[in-house]
């Protein structure tokens, strides 16, 4: 019994999709933990790639929570930043993802497969409504399999939209119903009833494990443990980076935030 970790250099892998243990994208991370005695399998695919456009759009710059439904051919974040720079010379941009295991936001070096990301893009000198189609190449994520931790987790979506009822977890009943949140164009959290390709989401988990979508299992009713989790971690996800939530407990109809330094607003809408 026990655990071990296998490590590799993603930059030295051949071109193609490489997935270890049916869930870990070897191009996006450099290690994988497994139980001693497990048989590890690597899925290697060099077939045709799929293109997908992650759209960034707004009337005024604000935080957006996005994801990619692809195992990216090149997940290096510098590639995606260079693409944005090519479209908007001198654009201010910030990119973060939430590290649940450490309880804080981090700037990722690589685009994390199956997880949500915060993007803030301010195209200097451009006003009015704008859209940036960030075109990516890779292989479709047909089934989302993402490691989750106890607490709030940022997740993405598979290549096909699925409903909340099709989302499951291992261990079963780790996910708390009613805690799926998306982030709207107006800077609002909203209760999500589906995972849409290209969008990012929050979900609250009672334990470390794995989220699966689609999955045959179903979410259970809120148990005493789940209600305790809401008391510990709050009924709503963390605000975007640099935004501080108000001290007053929200009534599940609205939550106001004070921007720092981006003069944005975030509120819960029913």
């Amino acid at each position: 019994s026990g655990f071990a970790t296998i490590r590799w250099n993603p930059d030295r892998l051949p071109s193609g999709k490489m997935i270890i243990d049916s869930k870990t994208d070897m191009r996006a991370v450099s290690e994988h933990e497994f139980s001693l005695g497990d048989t590890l399998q690597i899925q290697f695919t060099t077939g045709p790639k799929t293109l997908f456009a992650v759209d960034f759009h707004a009337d005024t710059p604000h935080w957006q929570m996005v994801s990619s439904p692809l195992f990216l051919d090149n997940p290096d974040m510098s590639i995606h930043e260079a693409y944005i720079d090519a479209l908007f010379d001198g654009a201010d941009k910030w990119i973060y993802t939430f590290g649940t295991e450490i309880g804080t936001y981090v700037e990722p070096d690589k685009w994390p497969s199956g997880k949500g990301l915060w993007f803030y893009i301010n195209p200097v000198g451009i006003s009015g409504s704008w859209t940036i189609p960030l075109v990516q190449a890779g292989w479709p994520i047909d089934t989302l399999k993402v490691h989750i931790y106890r607490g709030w987790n940022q997740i993405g979506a598979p290549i096909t939209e699925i409903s909340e009822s099709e989302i499951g977890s291992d261990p079963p009943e780790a996910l708390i119903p009613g805690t799926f949140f998306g982030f709207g164009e107006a800077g609002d959290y909203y209760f999500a009833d589906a995972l849409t390709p290209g969008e990012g989401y929050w979900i609250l988990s009672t334990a470390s494990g794995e989220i699966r979508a689609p999955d045959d299992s179903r979410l259970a009713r809120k148990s005493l443990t789940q209600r305790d989790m809401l008391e510990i971690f709050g009924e709503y996800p963390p605000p975007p980076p640099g935004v501080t939530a108000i001290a007053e407990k929200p009534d599940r109809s609205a939550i106001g935030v004070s921007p720092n330094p981006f003069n944005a607003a975030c509120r819960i809408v029913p």
Side-chain angles (χ1 to χ4, degrees):
S1 62
F3 296 91
T5 301
I6 181 174
R7 296 181 175 87
W8 59 89
N9 184 348
D11 295 332
R12 298 180 64 86
L13 297 176
S15 178
K17 180 180 74 172
M18 298 190 72
I19 310 299
I20 189 170
D21 203 18
S22 299
K23 57 186 176 184
T24 300
D25 184 357
M26 298 180 67
R27 306 191 67 82
V29 298
S30 59
E31 64 180 36
H32 174 76
E33 185 180 81
F34 61 97
S35 299
L36 294 177
D38 284 355
T39 298
L40 298 180
Q41 294 183 339
I42 296 177
Q43 178 189 4
F44 180 49
T45 302
T46 58
K49 301 174 188 176
T50 297
L51 297 180
F52 185 86
V54 178
D55 287 334
F56 299 92
H57 42 80
D59 293 323
T60 57
H62 68 275
W63 286 105
Q64 292 182 251
M65 192 161 53
V66 303
S67 68
S68 177
L70 304 176
F71 294 109
L72 296 176
D73 179 42
N74 192 336
D76 287 344
M77 194 59 71
S78 60
I79 299 296
H80 306 288
E81 293 187 39
Y83 183 89
I84 296 172
D85 289 338
L87 291 175
F88 296 99
D89 185 26
D92 295 326
K93 56 187 177 300
W94 293 269
I95 305 170
Y96 291 93
T97 188
F98 190 71
T100 306
E101 67 277 23
I102 58 177
T104 188
Y105 286 109
V106 296
E107 297 181 77
D109 295 327
K110 295 182 181 293
W111 191 298
S113 296
K115 294 188 177 182
L117 287 170
W118 282 115
F119 266 75
Y120 186 98
I121 302 175
N122 181 11
V124 178
I126 297 178
S127 59
S129 180
W130 50 267
T131 299
I132 303 175
L134 180 57
V135 179
Q136 301 175 321
W139 296 269
I141 300 177
D142 297 313
T143 300
L144 186 72
K145 295 182 180 180
V146 179
H147 188 83
I148 53 175
Y149 296 88
R150 183 175 183 265
W152 287 104
N153 295 264
Q154 275 188 312
I155 64 171
I159 194 67
T160 303
E161 181 174 285
I162 61 171
S163 66
E164 180 183 0
S165 64
E166 297 177 271
I167 303 170
S169 65
D170 181 18
E173 302 182 7
L175 305 181
I176 300 179
T179 64
F180 283 97
F181 288 92
F183 195 72
E185 292 182 34
D188 303 328
Y189 276 125
Y190 63 89
F191 296 101
D193 57 8
L195 299 183
T196 301
E199 300 294 325
Y201 300 91
W202 286 102
I203 181 61
L204 184 60
S205 176
T206 62
S208 295
E210 182 181 81
I211 189 171
R212 299 171 181 171
D215 189 82
D216 292 335
S217 63
R218 296 291 182 266
L219 300 179
R221 293 180 177 273
K222 288 188 177 71
S223 65
L224 179 60
T225 300
Q226 293 172 336
R227 290 194 292 271
D228 291 342
M229 289 288 294
L230 295 175
E231 291 295 326
I232 296 172
F233 292 98
E235 295 183 87
Y236 303 103
V243 178
T244 304
I246 59 175
E248 181 181 355
K249 185 176 180 180
D251 60 2
R252 294 191 75 79
S253 61
I255 178 173
V257 297
S258 300
N260 180 16
F262 303 115
N263 193 27
C266 165
R267 65 183 184 278
I268 301 294
V269 294

